[in-house]
Amino acid sequence: KLQTGKLVTDALVSGEVELGTIVDTNITFLSFQPHPVRVVRTLGVRTDEGLWFRTASGIKTPADLRGKRIGYAPATTSHLFLSRFLDHAGLRWNEVSPVPLQPTAVQSALAGGIVDGVATWDPWGTNIRREQGDRVDSFRNHEGLYPSR
């Protein structure tokens, strides 16, 4: 059992597993290099992405992300969501401080103040809200920004 599509993707490429379930972003990143993996079936599923942030960080609008440390899991839907979110908000990657994290570390990185915000998907977002309550807020996925399917 692997916790994320990125870990499944790495296991597929290395030959550790013969079959795995991954999302469109993992398939996209696989296409950047030659590999022994092929897609055998696709399913249309919507993921719920969001950018969760500590309310104490002063973030109220997307423009307030300028100069903030934003965690994300590279080569995952959160990576794609963050990229599109920043573009939609008129921000560039170099206007924030992107912090690559393992998906399992986003919750503790936000709670510990290592980052000001994290781009992630559920169930991580729900766990963050449950753990931190009103100390966090979020910008959530919507069809016009990132219709993950």
Side-chain angles (χ1 to χ4, degrees):
K1 181 178 177 182
L2 301 168
Q3 292 180 325
T4 69
K6 171 70 169 105
L7 295 176
V8 173
T9 302
D10 293 345
L12 284 166
V13 170
S14 72
E16 182 183 335
V17 299
E18 295 176 7
L19 184 68
T21 302
I22 57 178
V23 298
D24 55 348
T25 308
N26 302 126
I27 294 168
T28 301
F29 278 90
L30 276 172
S31 71
F32 294 148
Q33 298 179 8
H35 56 78
V37 178
R38 71 182 174 100
V39 175
V40 295
R41 177 85 166 115
T42 62
L43 304 169
V45 177
R46 182 183 185 282
T47 58
D48 191 14
E49 308 290 333
L51 196 153
W52 293 85
F53 52 90
R54 294 180 305 112
T55 53
S57 66
I59 299 169
K60 297 198 184 329
T61 69
D64 297 329
L65 295 170
R66 241 179 222 99
K68 301 295 187 194
R69 298 170 315 236
I70 308 298
Y72 71 101
T76 67
T77 55
S78 71
H79 187 167
L80 183 56
F81 173 79
L82 180 58
S83 178
R84 288 189 177 177
F85 183 85
L86 292 174
D87 186 54
H88 183 75
L91 297 169
R92 296 183 181 178
W93 275 90
N94 65 356
E95 292 182 275
V96 300
S97 295
V99 179
L101 298 168
Q102 289 298 316
T104 54
V106 295
Q107 191 172 342
S108 59
L110 186 63
I114 295 168
V115 294
D116 301 300
V118 292
T120 192
W121 62 91
D122 269 334
W124 305 111
T126 298
N127 292 343
I128 288 168
R129 171 64 80 192
R130 186 178 305 123
E131 178 186 275
Q132 298 189 46
D134 62 1
R135 293 178 304 208
V136 295
D137 202 352
S138 65
F139 301 123
R140 302 304 297 264
N141 190 10
H142 59 79
E143 291 298 316
L145 175 61
Y146 179 51
S148 178
R149 294 200 191 283

